[in-house]
Amino acid sequence: MIEPIKLTTRDEREQLIREAHYNPFLLRAEDVIIDLLTDSGTSAMSSDAWAAMMRGDESYAGARSWFRFRDTVQDIFGFEQVIPTHQGRAAEHILFGMLVKPDSIVPNNTHFDTTRANIEFVGGKPLDLICDEANDINSDFAFKGNMDIVALDELVKAEGPERIPVIMVTVTNNSVGGQPVSMSNIREISRIAKSAGIPFYIDACRFAENAFFIKQNEPGYENTAAVDIAREMFSYADGCTMSAKKDAFCNIGGFLCSNDAELALQERNLLIMTEGFPTYGGLAGRDLEAIAVGLREVLDENYLDYRLLSTRYVVEGLHDNGIPVVRPAGGHAVYLDARRFLPHIEPLQYPGQALSVELYLEGGIRAVEIGTVMFGSDPHSGDEKAARLDLLRLAIPRRVYTQSHMDYVLEAITLVWERRSSIRGMKIVKAPQFLRHFSAEFDWL
Ligand code: F0G
């Protein structure tokens, strides 16, 4: 795919971001020069995926495309029950709608915004149990996405299956730098979950990147194929939720898996009401075809090697310029540490948001705040507190940008860094109750 890049001037961007109420989500995409808002649904599909779409079988029930999709998912993920959804959050909505009750606690290494919101929406309490290394900006631990196993064990012993309907782990850990989770951590979570009789689900969005990190950094996996590492990861779980917009290269799609036929029956009843018939679930036959191709391509180790290297190129380039960035590099994105970038701005004055606006003004680059704007407000009480971290995420779409685009990004961030002391904090002018970062309106303090 080739897309035109429209170049804007600094003066034009001043006006465009003001009209978007200083929220990059509210910009028109064509007014963005390099779009690093997300790696979700923005990847370039291959000629094979496009070819597969041409044979999409759009039959309402039992389409050939469904069976190709189901067989591929079963082969890689290993679960019996496969439920297609229009994207990852629809899978979460159905799963949590079934399992979570008011006052339930759902632990995760770190919930992403939609999992958190879907749990809160049905009255549950999402709990982040991230390992200590993740909080140490200087640690070069290879698996900073890991769950805190001791904390999980204590929680499970204290609350039991009565209050914990499901334990989740997110691979890679999107909210904490796109950092991977080790196989041994997954194995430990599984052991704790099994011994307490609690189902264990993997939020699998970036499973292939996670598998390749395991291959590169976890002893014993050097010679194991990425696909077999992925199979082993899922073999420890009772189910998964997946967004095909990430590690399946697709523009849309997702699925929910388990080995629980009884639960899946109830989930399909909900699916029919909200998504569609169980053999297409909110997707066109051609989408099912593209996902089946993408799930195989994403496990190509030449691709994975290049993918992780290209993210590391940006992270190390920033680090070499003295710019505070989460290290070691994660898989899908570069995370600037906005609190250390702008130490004169308090968390409740949204340093990550201010940095996102400045980066747009500087280079027309769009990124997303992952910090106090995204996670700082309790949707029920309206109380606000600083998030654990204030990051600015620059997510890299798969197979889209080249090294010269990334050099431009490095240059723009460095220019903002050089004038950082003149950057002001921000305030929220207007915000909705749930998922406020998508539509909140801001202004400079
Ligand atoms: N889980 C994780 C870890 C995610 O990163 C996302 C989406 C979802 C679930 C939901 O999937 O978008 O298909 O409904 N993350 C995107 C992002 C939006 O920009 O990181 P979805």
Side-chain angles (χ1 to χ4, degrees):
M1 270 180 288
I2 300 294
E3 287 189 47
I5 289 181
K6 184 173 101 181
L7 296 176
T8 48
T9 64
R10 165 102 197 190
D11 283 347
E12 285 166 340
R13 292 195 291 274
E14 297 264 4
Q15 188 184 337
L16 290 163
I17 195 72
R18 193 178 329 112
E19 285 169 4
H21 306 282
Y22 300 101
N23 185 343
F25 277 105
L26 304 180
L27 287 165
R28 283 174 185 249
E30 68 169 5
D31 295 329
V32 175
I33 297 177
I34 304 281
D35 202 345
L36 307 181
L37 186 69
T38 180
D39 64 321
S40 180
T42 54
S43 298
M45 294 206 311
S46 66
S47 49
D48 278 356
W50 279 106
M53 287 179 79
M54 298 308 288
R55 65 175 188 189
D57 176 356
E58 305 302 342
S59 305
Y60 190 92
R64 284 186 300 276
S65 302
W66 151 250
F67 290 105
R68 271 193 282 271
F69 165 88
R70 186 202 63 182
D71 293 351
T72 307
V73 173
Q74 284 178 337
D75 179 43
I76 297 169
F77 294 77
F79 298 110
E80 244 166 67
Q81 306 293 329
V82 179
I83 296 178
T85 59
H86 80 276
Q87 57 185 89
R89 67 199 67 183
E92 293 159 13
H93 186 67
I94 290 171
L95 177 69
F96 298 140
M98 287 291 148
L99 299 182
V100 176
K101 306 273 169 294
D103 290 330
S104 291
I105 301 170
V106 181
N108 200 326
N109 49 352
T110 317
H111 289 277
F112 195 59
D113 58 357
T114 58
T115 46
R116 173 172 292 277
N118 269 304
I119 292 165
E120 286 171 343
F121 188 71
V122 287
K125 185 167 171 255
L127 191 67
D128 294 339
L129 300 177
I130 185 70
C131 67
D132 286 341
E133 290 88 344
N135 292 318
D136 179 359
I137 221 87
N138 297 314
S139 157
D140 59 2
F141 182 51
F143 294 101
K144 277 183 169 178
N146 278 356
M147 195 153 197
D148 181 337
I149 292 296
V150 175
L152 178 67
D153 198 35
E154 283 168 6
L155 178 80
V156 166
K157 285 195 176 114
E159 304 289 351
E162 300 73 28
R163 279 201 74 194
I164 307 173
V166 55
I167 296 170
M168 288 200 86
V169 73
T170 305
V171 301
T172 56
N173 192 341
N174 191 6
S175 313
V176 188
Q179 304 285 331
V181 178
S182 72
M183 191 73 87
S184 62
N185 196 251
I186 292 173
R187 223 180 277 127
E188 282 295 290
I189 301 168
S190 174
R191 186 184 54 76
I192 293 171
K194 276 203 175 66
S195 67
I198 299 172
F200 166 40
Y201 275 64
I202 296 181
D203 178 342
C205 296
R206 299 173 182 90
F207 75 99
E209 290 171 7
N210 199 87
F212 206 66
F213 275 117
I214 289 175
K215 182 175 177 113
Q216 289 181 330
N217 296 320
E218 192 159 349
Y221 290 94
E222 305 82 353
N223 300 316
T224 311
V227 63
D228 291 324
I229 296 176
R231 287 187 180 116
E232 185 180 336
M233 282 161 48
F234 294 109
S235 74
Y236 299 120
D238 298 296
C240 75
T241 56
M242 172 70 186
S243 167
K245 303 175 73 171
K246 284 84 171 174
D247 271 357
F249 298 115
C250 292
N251 303 127
I252 200 73
F255 48 88
L256 169 61
C257 293
S258 74
N259 289 321
D260 186 336
E262 185 53 41
L263 177 67
L265 190 70
Q266 294 170 34
E267 288 169 345
R268 288 194 182 95
N269 289 336
L270 201 54
L271 185 83
I272 292 177
M273 274 191 286
T274 56
E275 294 281 295
F277 189 75
T279 65
Y280 71 86
L283 294 169
R286 56 181 171 272
D287 298 323
L288 296 170
E289 295 278 356
I291 294 168
V293 173
L295 286 173
R296 299 244 177 250
E297 285 181 355
V298 80
L299 289 159
D300 175 339
E301 298 194 4
N302 289 318
Y303 156 74
L304 283 169
D305 198 21
Y306 179 75
R307 170 79 173 154
L308 301 191
L309 269 174
S310 56
T311 304
R312 191 155 74 205
Y313 173 79
V314 184
V315 168
E316 293 308 316
L318 291 167
H319 180 68
D320 290 346
N321 288 351
I323 296 168
V325 60
V326 175
R327 290 173 77 233
H332 68 296
V334 174
Y335 294 71
L336 294 174
D337 181 349
R339 260 182 221 168
R340 285 202 301 154
F341 199 113
L342 301 172
H344 56 288
I345 300 180
E346 295 294 316
L348 291 180
Q349 299 177 356
Y350 316 124
Q353 192 68 24
L355 194 52
S356 78
V357 173
E358 288 296 337
L359 196 55
Y360 178 71
L361 290 172
E362 187 65 50
I365 298 162
R366 179 156 69 165
V368 69
E369 192 259 17
I370 296 199
T372 303
V373 174
M374 190 180 273
F375 293 125
S377 122
D378 181 317
H380 296 294
S381 67
D383 292 347
E384 210 185 19
K385 65 177 192 328
R388 211 174 53 79
L389 298 168
D390 275 293
L391 303 174
L392 182 69
R393 184 189 75 173
L394 296 93
I396 307 178
R398 295 167 185 76
R399 307 190 293 204
V400 172
Y401 290 117
T402 65
Q403 185 168 330
S404 62
H405 294 109
M406 291 301 125
D407 286 332
Y408 173 88
V409 170
L410 278 170
E411 208 172 299
I413 296 171
T414 305
L415 289 170
V416 176
W417 173 246
E418 283 165 2
R419 58 177 175 75
R420 61 192 179 281
S421 58
S422 67
I423 296 171
R424 277 175 294 158
M426 308 206 78
K427 62 180 178 190
I428 290 182
V429 178
K430 202 166 134 188
Q433 184 186 4
F434 287 98
L435 294 171
R436 62 179 183 169
H437 52 290
F438 289 124
S439 56
E441 299 180 2
F442 300 85
D443 207 345
W444 295 113
L445 282 171

